[in-house]
Amino acid sequence: MKKFAIAAATATALTLTMANAAFAQQTAQAPMTLAAGEMTKATEAGSDTWITTKVKADLMTEKGVPGTDIKVETNKGVVSLSSDVAVTASQKEMAVAIAKKIKGVQAVSADGLKAE
């Protein structure tokens, strides 16, 4: 049984050594280059998604603001707030103030918030 274990360990070691040598001989591929502006679009989309998520989370945790009823959309740093349910003027002001405090927000539009 010991001989089998030693033979198996040796075979494994040799296989790994040969596999490493085979991988080492492969030529390195040139890094992919992105078309001009593609990285900016990806960063912008990621930033907009982050802003939307952060605004929505802050609205949900703020007392006195119906965060579940307010829809948040972000495009190039401009946050749009809307709702199907009427909100008070003070709730609308609070929602706008919360959105404006988020890093990366360029402007806030609350035209879509229905006021009572």
Side-chain angles (χ1 to χ4, degrees), residues 32-61:
M32 290 178 46
T33 55
L34 295 173
E38 288 300 315
M39 192 60 182
T40 303
K41 288 179 188 175
T43 303
E44 202 171 86
S47 180
D48 284 347
T49 302
W50 182 88
I51 290 170
T52 299
T53 303
K54 180 67 173 148
V55 170
K56 189 67 177 173
D58 286 2
L59 289 173
M60 296 286 283
T61 58

Side-chain angles (χ1 to χ4, degrees), residues 79-91:
V79 176
S80 298
L81 304 174
S82 61
S83 67
D84 293 330
V85 178
V87 296
T88 65
S90 64
Q91 289 173 330

Side-chain angles (χ1 to χ4, degrees), residues 55 58-59 62 64-67 70 72 79 81 87-102 108 110 113:
V55 170
D58 286 2
L59 289 173
E62 184 67 33
V65 175
I70 298 175
V72 180
V79 176
L81 304 174
V87 296
T88 65
S90 64
Q91 289 173 330
K92 184 175 181 177
E93 288 175 21
M94 284 176 50
V96 169
I98 289 169
K100 283 183 176 180
K101 289 191 298 187
I102 305 302
V108 178
L113 286 177

Side-chain angles (χ1 to χ4, degrees), residues 15-30:
T15 302
L16 292 175
T17 303
M18 293 171 68
N20 285 337
F23 285 121
Q25 290 178 358
Q26 290 181 351
T27 58
Q29 294 180 358

